[in-house]
Amino acid sequence: MAPQRAGGTPASIGHLLSAKEIVIACGPGGVGKTTTAAAVATMAAAEHGGRVLVLTVDPARRLADALGLKGIGNQEVRIDDAVFKQAGITPRGELWAAMLDTKQSWDDLIRRHAPDAATREKILANPLYQNISGRFVQSHDYIAMERLYEIHSEGKYDLIVVDTPPTRNALDFLDAPQRLADFFSSRLLRWLIAPYRSRLVNVATRPFYTVADRILGTQFLADISEFFILFQSMYEGFVTRSDAVTRLLSDRRTTFMVVSTLEATPLREAEFFSSELTARDLHLGAIVLNKVLPDYLRDSATARLAQRMAEQVDTLGDGLTDDPVVAARVLREVAESFMHFGVVARREAEQQNELKGAPDILVTVPFFDADIYDITGLIRLGQQVWD
Amino acid sequence: MNPPGPDLLALKLVFVTGKGGVGKTTVAAALAQLAAENGRSVLACEVDAKGDLAALFEAAPTDFVPREIAPGVASMSMDTEASLREYLKLHLRIPVVGRIGPLAKAFDFVATAAPGVREILTVGKLCYEVRERHYDLVVVDAPASGHIIGQLAAPQAINSLVKVGLIRNQTDWMLDILSDAGQTGLIAVTTPEEMPVNETLELTARVKEETTVRLSAVVVNRVLPELFGQREEEVFEQLRQANAEALLSERAKGSVAPVFEAARLAVTLRRTEAGHLQRLQAGLPPDLPVLLLPELFTRTHGVRTTHQMAQALGEELGH
């Protein structure tokens, strides 16, 4: 049952998404973030209509396969209506999907910002650049937000659902645009790209270069300098751009959907994340709690019954099966198992109660027996969180 | 069923990695605890510096200077700037700390531009602890599997970027330590679920192709107990017949239906897990040990869990 909000409208993800253009799914790893993002995007396409894009990072292969997304990359592709039909649904709108290709996105960014062809080619060929774009972890964070901005400004979609990359720190991608801007406007960067001769003349910075030379070697420093000089030519473009990305994240049309499970560690991270979003004045729209165990596991009368069963296994099954020894074993296992899961279910329910600073929309998704790997599964999950 | 456990405790440096949320830190803590119980002096190093590792021993968060957090277990948190300071002190004998300040800051930027620099300071510190034999075993709560490759491959990356200079000279001995399967190992932690298993299989391939470190074992965490064998399953079905269930409910003085429903759920979950486990086994080299750690229903973190996991790990390893 959806909670009522001031103004009498029910708090639901369906309502939330009808008011937003960008939903950023974030939270700890391993909680079903990608699947949840795909599920709400699917629901939005099916029920709200319009063009909905899910920008994903690393979907489970089976899910990608089932949606016909094999081998997709930066280019958005439309999910075939036939895929919906198989699930007995005629969507009102269109569902599109794209995967984040970090390297490709960086190359595109350089192409856009490079002042001329020569600079562009030099940067693309620079070994340091190749390192940054290909392997550098934080570049992933930045480029996800950059891609989001790019796609949003093209104006092709009514709703964009973003699945955030797994980060060392769930907040890295929020800070990435600002960090990049800081990086380009820093004094230290200017030091690094100062011509070699003037460095040795400058008394203040001389010790720094002497030491840096000894550690890194002159050639490497020269390589770095060249790289930064090239990048410097794109300074304005980059800073303007990352400011725009930062603005987009705090726009009223953007909301954050924190995804977690009720396990202690992910929940603590989700809680931390929620409080940080609020502290940054970003819109925390909803918390989705996945893999919630069924209510009946918490029933204390049943727990006592299970305990009685465990105590009477030798007589309880008398005459009911062809093998009393095995029956006793089965009854013990069954009773023990109930008590095991009962403890987990109770702990998790308690942890949900202790959740601090939760938004109006807090939805739970039951534990599904099987992994979700097709549109039917996505819709089933989506319906759980929608109304 | 599994080949005899590898002698993880005989190694000098063990990196523990895995997809976020699979219990990588718990396994690192359990390994440190187990090694300490077996008389080793252990340094447990947290690379992501969230303070979770120390919390698993009920200790306050650690910093760059190792501190004993349990008998036989010292712990530290990696801090690349502190690592740089230590490095400079050891190798350059820079007298004035004030000059290191801006340098460290600048280094931050250089590290941003040249991946591998930050990683080399991390790996460098760890290898340094191994080389100096300050501890019998260094256990690293390493970055998640997406990032561990960059760290383990850092010495090669630096080798290819930096042709001369002090750092270059330093990478060779690090590579010696990292490439020695008798000294250094990697443990990939996973859970019996789809995505973690996929990631583990990908990691296995990448470790082999892109690093010189050997994967020592895969640890599967939170494995549910096998509820029934085939015979039990048949008997369970007999007990679930309407009349049998009704009689049971009468005898137990309450409806057993939810208890049976929970058992059915447990069996389904276990079966899904078994499928992923099978897929994992099939995709790994046959001689790579796969260690199973049970789902602990009662508690999920804290020193109690660390001790239970250490015991379970010890049993799997034959200690």
Side-chain angles (χ1 to χ4, degrees):
Chain A
M1 184 61 82
Q4 293 287 310
R5 289 198 289 192
T9 52
S12 80
I13 289 189
H15 272 71
L16 178 70
L17 263 56
S18 66
K20 301 294 175 189
E21 287 180 21
I22 293 174
V23 182
I24 299 175
C26 49
V31 297
K33 198 165 43 183
T34 304
T35 312
T36 308
V40 300
T42 305
M43 286 301 287
E47 300 214 345
H48 288 170
R51 280 178 127 194
V52 180
L53 173 73
V54 55
L55 177 59
T56 186
V57 178
D58 183 21
R61 216 166 300 130
R62 271 203 298 171
L63 180 62
D65 290 352
L67 298 181
L69 300 179
K70 212 172 210 160
I72 65 160
N74 256 355
Q75 207 48 51
E76 306 109 82
V77 291
R78 185 174 169 189
I79 311 293
D80 201 322
D81 273 352
V83 175
F84 280 90
K85 284 217 179 67
Q86 282 166 11
I89 284 167
T90 312
R92 283 195 62 215
E94 301 172 5
L95 179 62
W96 291 68
M99 282 258 289
L100 185 71
D101 179 336
T102 310
K103 175 93 182 91
Q104 186 63 46
S105 302
W106 268 108
D107 290 355
D108 290 348
L109 196 63
I110 299 300
R111 289 199 180 91
R112 203 156 43 236
H113 289 304
D116 52 68
T119 311
R120 184 185 66 215
E121 292 315 311
K122 262 193 207 158
I123 292 177
L124 292 178
N126 187 296
L128 283 173
Y129 166 72
Q130 288 174 352
N131 254 320
I132 288 196
S133 54
R135 281 196 262 159
F136 182 34
V137 170
Q138 281 168 358
S139 75
H140 215 73
D141 301 335
Y142 176 71
I143 214 69
M145 295 301 109
E146 158 67 31
R147 270 292 281 164
L148 168 65
Y149 176 81
E150 175 70 15
I151 294 174
H152 184 255
S153 356
E154 284 170 4
K156 286 196 292 197
Y157 301 96
D158 296 278
L159 175 71
I160 304 171
V161 183
V162 190
D163 167 30
T164 52
T167 48
R168 298 158 91 98
N169 178 334
L171 297 168
D172 279 353
F173 73 88
L174 289 181
D175 299 329
Q178 192 53 49
R179 255 201 325 258
L180 198 80
D182 290 348
F183 178 68
F184 278 105
S185 35
S186 81
R187 251 176 77 211
L188 282 159
L189 183 56
R190 288 205 293 280
W191 277 8
L192 274 174
I193 63 176
Y196 194 75
R197 229 172 333 121
S198 71
R199 287 178 196 168
L200 298 178
V201 178
N202 188 329
V203 178
T205 58
R206 194 168 165 176
F208 162 71
Y209 287 112
T210 315
V211 171
D213 274 4
R214 281 180 66 187
I215 300 172
L216 295 164
T218 313
Q219 183 53 45
F220 185 54
L221 264 188
D223 283 353
I224 290 177
S225 298
E226 194 213 47
F227 171 68
F228 282 140
I229 289 164
L230 290 169
F231 247 60
Q232 190 75 347
S233 66
M234 303 188 298
Y235 170 78
E236 292 255 316
F238 260 89
V239 172
T240 314
R241 185 76 164 194
S242 58
D243 285 349
V245 174
T246 305
R247 264 201 313 281
L248 181 64
L249 292 181
S250 48
D251 194 286
R252 292 296 296 176
R253 293 166 297 171
T254 302
T255 191
F256 289 80
M257 177 174 78
V258 174
V259 185
S260 180
T261 63
L262 283 170
E263 290 163 283
T265 311
L267 200 60
R268 211 173 52 208
E269 266 182 63
E271 200 171 49
F272 171 70
F273 197 82
S274 306
S275 71
E276 284 294 316
L277 285 173
T278 312
R280 284 155 203 250
D281 224 5
L282 296 171
H283 189 264
L284 170 59
I287 293 185
V288 176
L289 298 167
N290 277 328
K291 303 184 193 174
V292 175
L293 289 169
D295 286 345
Y296 66 78
L297 287 172
R298 290 187 282 126
D299 184 67
S300 15
T302 314
R304 281 193 291 273
L305 172 85
Q307 207 163 347
R308 282 202 301 279
M309 283 174 74
E311 286 158 8
Q312 309 166 19
V313 288
D314 292 330
T315 52
L316 206 58
D318 275 356
L320 297 178
T321 68
D322 55 9
D323 191 336
V325 179
V326 176
R329 199 156 67 220
V330 166
L331 286 168
R332 177 171 292 114
E333 288 288 344
V334 163
E336 290 284 342
S337 178
F338 184 89
M339 291 186 279
H340 280 324
F341 280 96
V343 171
V344 177
R346 250 168 280 175
R347 176 174 64 231
E348 294 189 349
E350 184 57 27
Q351 280 166 179
Q352 185 182 336
N353 288 334
E354 290 173 8
L355 190 63
K356 289 191 197 85
D360 290 346
I361 308 175
L362 176 77
V363 290
T364 55
V365 181
F367 215 119
F368 290 121
D369 286 357
D371 298 322
I372 290 169
Y373 56 87
D374 58 11
I375 206 105
T376 312
L378 285 182
I379 297 234
R380 208 171 104 187
L381 193 160
Q383 280 168 345
Q384 292 289 337
V385 303
W386 197 247
D387 296 316
Chain B
M1 216 164 63
N2 284 314
D7 202 356
L8 292 177
L9 304 189
L11 294 171
K12 302 280 176 228
L13 176 60
V14 177
F15 292 87
V16 183
T17 187
K19 187 177 163 66
V22 298
K24 165 175 77 68
T25 307
T26 310
V27 172
L31 180 63
Q33 172 67 22
L34 178 69
E37 283 170 11
N38 282 272
R40 311 285 201 284
S41 74
V42 185
L43 174 65
C45 176
E46 181 171 46
V47 169
D48 276 349
K50 284 184 182 172
D52 293 348
L53 185 63
L56 288 174
F57 291 92
E58 310 296 340
T62 51
D63 54 29
F64 190 68
V65 180
R67 191 185 80 223
E68 182 161 85
I69 55 169
V73 182
S75 181
M76 64 169 283
S77 299
M78 187 50 70
D79 172 344
T80 43
E81 194 180 315
S83 175
L84 176 65
R85 279 168 194 276
E86 185 178 88
Y87 173 84
L88 293 177
K89 250 187 251 165
L90 285 167
H91 296 279
L92 293 177
R93 297 190 182 80
I94 293 192
V96 191
V97 176
R99 285 187 194 162
I100 302 180
L103 179 62
K105 247 177 138 185
F107 217 92
D108 211 41
F109 286 111
V110 175
T112 306
V117 171
R118 200 186 302 278
E119 283 83 354
I120 202 83
L121 287 168
T122 298
V123 173
K125 166 70 176 168
L126 298 166
C127 288
Y128 172 74
E129 292 296 331
V130 171
R131 192 185 65 177
E132 298 300 309
R133 301 185 186 283
H134 291 150
Y135 302 91
D136 299 327
L137 172 67
V138 178
V139 176
V140 190
D141 178 12
S145 31
H147 309 159
I148 183 79
I149 300 287
Q151 195 157 87
L152 296 179
Q156 292 117 285
I158 289 285
N159 257 354
S160 65
L161 281 173
V162 189
K163 298 297 176 204
V164 290
L166 254 176
I167 281 207
R168 171 65 198 243
N169 299 342
Q170 295 296 319
T171 50
D172 289 340
W173 67 266
M174 289 185 203
L175 274 171
D176 284 347
I177 291 178
L178 292 175
S179 316
D180 179 358
Q183 288 196 74
T184 303
L186 173 69
I187 294 179
V189 184
T190 184
T191 49
E193 294 170 286
E194 178 168 20
M195 292 299 282
V197 164
N198 291 351
E199 203 162 291
T200 305
L201 293 174
E202 279 161 26
L203 177 76
T204 314
R206 289 192 63 196
V207 167
K208 204 171 168 202
E209 281 164 26
E210 299 173 38
T211 79
T212 58
V213 177
R214 195 179 68 166
L215 187 62
S216 315
V218 169
V219 171
V220 188
N221 194 17
R222 286 190 224 126
V223 178
L224 288 171
E226 165 109 66
L227 214 52
F228 299 144
Q230 205 187 344
R231 179 71 188 124
E232 281 85 357
E233 185 94 48
E234 290 163 16
V235 172
F236 181 53
E237 284 311 313
Q238 293 173 19
L239 289 168
R240 281 183 73 194
Q241 299 297 313
N243 54 342
E245 196 179 294
L247 253 169
L248 273 173
S249 296
E250 207 181 297
R251 290 176 189 169
K253 300 186 178 61
S255 170
V256 299
V259 181
F260 279 5
E261 182 55 28
R264 200 198 50 76
L265 178 69
V267 169
T268 313
L269 290 177
R270 164 75 199 187
R271 205 165 285 155
T272 310
E273 283 195 354
H276 292 308
L277 269 173
Q278 231 163 17
R279 204 159 51 82
L280 178 70
Q281 294 268 17
L284 293 174
D287 56 340
L288 183 71
V290 176
L291 313 171
L292 306 182
L293 296 180
E295 160 81 38
L296 300 174
F297 291 99
T298 48
R299 288 288 174 256
T300 53
H301 56 290
V303 70
R304 164 83 178 138
T305 307
T306 305
H307 287 177
Q308 284 175 303
M309 294 301 262
Q311 195 189 342
L313 189 61
E315 282 163 15
E316 284 289 285
L317 289 170
H319 279 282

